[in-house]
């Protein structure tokens, strides 16, 4: 739509320019009062090409007026007026976190979309009946029985509009979920903390000792980059801290850092891995050793020490001399000098799901544990996620959570639970869970689905991917050709060709769209 609008816009502008003088003359003639018509000459024959030219000119002028009234188009092909209305309707909102390096675009408001799909406000007789279970089974079974999906697989499809189960193939079988675990982590964190919750990093000055403590708040999106992109900035925290120290006449301090918010081992059971930094309450840019913002990359060995060293450098630039930083704990009498907070949890959840961000997932699992009074560790996070989901009345039988990201092969989820999570996120009575849907990658456009579905349901499927050696999963939503929103979950274990298994799951989701 954006390309179409850009292509048509110059022609429309020229047409309007050409027609404007004639319209002005006509307007002046009408305003001058009665017109005394002269004796009309004998009509002459008008050729077809003259009719065509006149109609085309009028049509272009009308189209130009319509486009002008509708408002400008943004880079996503969405009218600005529509975008602004969507942002206004969705209170907690979100962003479309696309490919690295692109600006975040406002995400469509999920609430009105879901209401439209499930409501009865449309004209009588214009809505086709929902897809029946037999039609879904006929479409999926030939695909899901393919050898590419290994020796064990499960699937479920639910009509979100009606709650009807349309397909069930071992939906209660617990299999390795890989990164679709993040859907469960997202629902648990949002239900425990709320979509508006923010994570705060601060500095605290110990009285009488001039010890400054950088206190980690468990914000996995804290950044030290010059352009923060709307995330909490370590540079801003350093500048505000330096100002507070200058006001007190302090130019030299002992610098420490506090990571005691999180407990337990920092290293994931998989060991050192490019997909996840050691989990710490204090980290900047996810411990990445390059300028990337997503995907695997070598991480620093001690994220907290790395963050403190960078912080010391920013303080030095602001005129504050520090000692080499070391670990400590802020005392109860320490005075907070400055603080920076993350965007709301809704934005963190969307970024986690779109980019399959393991660092955010593990941090959110720990915050869920803290909200439930459990230790902020891998084990505590897993227990807290399970507890939250049971509290929501979800089918957790067979589910096992060893982490929040799905990197642990001991995790187990069922297709029944995954579809239940998606249906619950679409519940009009739980708007705080909506970021689970708006954060899902869009087929062919964003996140981990940006390079998939070129020959399938591009732009129609929104789904979380999951991949480990021998494991391929996919869970999300799709709008079928009747206008109904379907939630689906496909899990396959024992796969030997990851590319073919992934392609098979994509074809299955595309079949649902039809």
């Amino acid at each position: 739509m954006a390309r179409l609008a850009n292509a048509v816009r110059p022609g429309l502008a020229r047409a309007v320019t050409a027609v404007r003088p004639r319209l002005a003359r006509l307007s002046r003639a009408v305003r001058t009062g009665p017109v005394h018509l002269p004796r009309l000459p004998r009509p002459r024959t008008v050729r077809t090409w003259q009719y065509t030219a006149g109609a085309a000119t009028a049509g272009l002028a009308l189209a130009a007026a319509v486009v002008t009234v509708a408002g400008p188009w943004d880079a996503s092909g969405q009218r600005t007026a529509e975008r602004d209305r969507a942002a206004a309707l969705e209170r907690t909102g979100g962003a479309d976190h696309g490919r690295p390096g692109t600006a975040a675009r406002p995400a469509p408001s999920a609430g009105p979309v879901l209401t439209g799909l499930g409501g009865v406000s449309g004209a009588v007789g214009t809505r086709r009946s929902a897809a029946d279970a037999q039609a879904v089974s006929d479409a999926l079974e030939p695909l899901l029985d393919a050898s590419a999906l290994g020796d064990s697989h499960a699937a479920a499809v639910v009509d979100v509009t009606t709650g009807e189960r349309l397909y069930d193939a071992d939906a209660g079988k617990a299999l390795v979920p890989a990164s679709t675990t993040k859907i469960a982590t997202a629902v648990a964190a949002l239900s425990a903390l709320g979509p508006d919750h923010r994570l705060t990093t601060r500095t605290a000055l110990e009285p009488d000792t001039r010890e400054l403590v950088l206190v980690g708040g468990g914000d996995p999106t804290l950044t030290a980059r010059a352009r923060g992109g709307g995330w909490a900035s370590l540079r801003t925290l350093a500048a505000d801290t330096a100002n507070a120290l200058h006001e007190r006449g302090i130019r030299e301090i002992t610098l420490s850092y506090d990571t005691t918010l999180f407990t337990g081992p920092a290293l994931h059971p998989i060991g050192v891995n490019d997909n996840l930094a050691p989990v710490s309450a204090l980290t900047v840019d996810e411990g990445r050793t390059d300028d990337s913002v997503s995907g695997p990359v070598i991480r620093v060995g001690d994220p907290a020490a790395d963050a403190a060293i960078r912080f010391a450098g920013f303080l030095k630039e602001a005129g504050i001399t520090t000692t080499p930083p070391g670990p400590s704990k802020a005392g109860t009498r320490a005075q907070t000098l400055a603080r920076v907070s993350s965007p709301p949890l809704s934005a963190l959840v969307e970024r986690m799901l779109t980019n399959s961000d393991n660092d955010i997932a593990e941090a959110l699992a720990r915050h869920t544990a803290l909200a439930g009074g459990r230790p902020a560790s891998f084990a505590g996070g897993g227990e807290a996620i399970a507890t939250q989901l049971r509290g929501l009345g979800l089918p957790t039988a067979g589910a096992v959570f060893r982490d929040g990201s799905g990197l642990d092969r001991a995790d187990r989820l069922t297709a029944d639970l995954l579809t239940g999570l998606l249906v619950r996120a679409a519940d009009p009575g739980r708007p705080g869970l909506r970021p689970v849907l708006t954060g899902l990658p869009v087929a062919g456009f964003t996140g981990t689905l940006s390079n998939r579905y070129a020959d399938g349901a591009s732009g129609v499927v929104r789904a979380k991917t999951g991949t480990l050696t021998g494991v391929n999963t996919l869970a999300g939503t799709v709008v079928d050709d009747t206008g109904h929103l379907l939630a689906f979950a496909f899990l396959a274990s024992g796969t030997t060709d990851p590319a073919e298994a992934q392609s098979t799951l994509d074809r299955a989701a595309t079949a649902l769209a039809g």
Side-chain angles (χ1 to χ4, degrees), residues 108 125 216 349 384 498:
V349 163

Side-chain angles (χ1 to χ4, degrees), residues 257-287:
Y257 55 91
D258 183 348
T259 62
T260 59
L261 183 67
F262 290 172
T263 58
L267 198 61
H268 191 280
I270 61 173
V272 177
N273 193 284
D274 291 351
N275 290 291
L276 176 66
V279 183
S280 172
L282 177 63
T283 182
V284 290
D285 299 313
E286 299 182 336

Side-chain angles (χ1 to χ4, degrees), residues 88-137:
L89 289 172
E90 181 65 27
R91 287 181 300 171
T92 56
D96 177 10
H97 306 283
R99 298 177 179 85
T102 61
R105 301 190 302 270
S109 173
V113 170
L114 296 172
T115 300
L117 291 172
V120 292
S121 57
V124 175
T126 61
R127 183 179 300 283
R128 285 177 286 177
S129 61
D132 61 78
Q134 187 59 52
V136 173
S137 179

Side-chain angles (χ1 to χ4, degrees), residues 185 189 360-370 377 380-382 384-385 403-405:
T185 301
I360 295 178
E362 296 303 344
L364 295 189
R366 281 161 170 72
H367 282 289
T368 304
L370 290 171
S377 61
I385 292 171
D403 63 5
S405 62

